[in-house]
Amino acid sequence: MTHEDFMREAIELSKKNVENGGGPFGAVIVKDGKIVGKGANNVVTHTDPTAHAEVMAIRDAAANLGTYDLSGCTIYTSCEPCPMCLGAVYWAHLSKMYYGNTKEDAAKVGFDDAFIYKEMELPVDKRSVPAERILGEEAYKAFQMWDENPDKIKY
């Protein structure tokens, strides 16, 4: 299969998802020329604000491959990822990404995540969701435990 074939799979997932009451987003993950993970936007159907197509495809691929490290895999997503999904792409160590619609295309139909990018640039105390640090020293103990653990698995 070609890159275009895999992208068409992602696009078809997005279209079928709309037909089933979900959002217009789909994604597939490919390793060694085979689809190892699929996902569609299930925010409404799963009542889960993190159930974006890319995240669902990453979860599916990780489960199917038995690993959290998706190095060597490529994601084909029907739309340029939002900040959360882009972060997930990096955390999963995906090696390459192809996308169909742009974030500007998404904004035109009501999926505008520009405000999140703007919020991320602001100092914590200037963001629209109030945030306050508490128990920092206590919380840091878990980091110290992790740092000192010779058997930790880095990810």
Side-chain angles (χ1 to χ4, degrees), residues 100-134:
N101 292 309
T102 66
K103 60 185 173 185
E104 292 79 15
D105 294 330
K108 288 177 191 174
V109 297
F111 296 97
D112 191 354
D113 53 15
F115 77 96
I116 298 173
Y117 285 105
K118 290 177 186 169
E119 286 281 307
M120 291 169 59
E121 292 176 4
L122 295 173
V124 173
D125 63 339
K126 302 289 186 209
R127 295 178 184 163
S128 62
V129 175
E132 183 179 339
R133 183 175 186 212
I134 61 172

Side-chain angles (χ1 to χ4, degrees), residues 36-80:
V36 296
K38 293 182 179 185
N41 182 288
N42 290 305
V43 169
V44 174
T45 56
H46 289 183
T47 60
D48 179 353
T50 68
H52 290 200
E54 297 90 344
V55 171
M56 299 303 287
I58 288 168
R59 290 173 182 168
D60 190 40
N64 289 334
L65 295 174
T67 182
Y68 54 85
D69 185 349
L70 300 180
S71 297
C73 293
T74 300
I75 189 167
Y76 297 81
T77 179
S78 65
C79 186
E80 186 177 0

Side-chain angles (χ1 to χ4, degrees), residues 8 11 18 33 52 66 74 79 88-90 116-117 121 144 151:
R8 285 188 183 99
I11 293 168
V18 171
H52 290 200
T74 300
C79 186
V89 165
Y90 281 94
I116 298 173
Y117 285 105
E121 292 176 4
Q144 288 175 317
D151 299 322

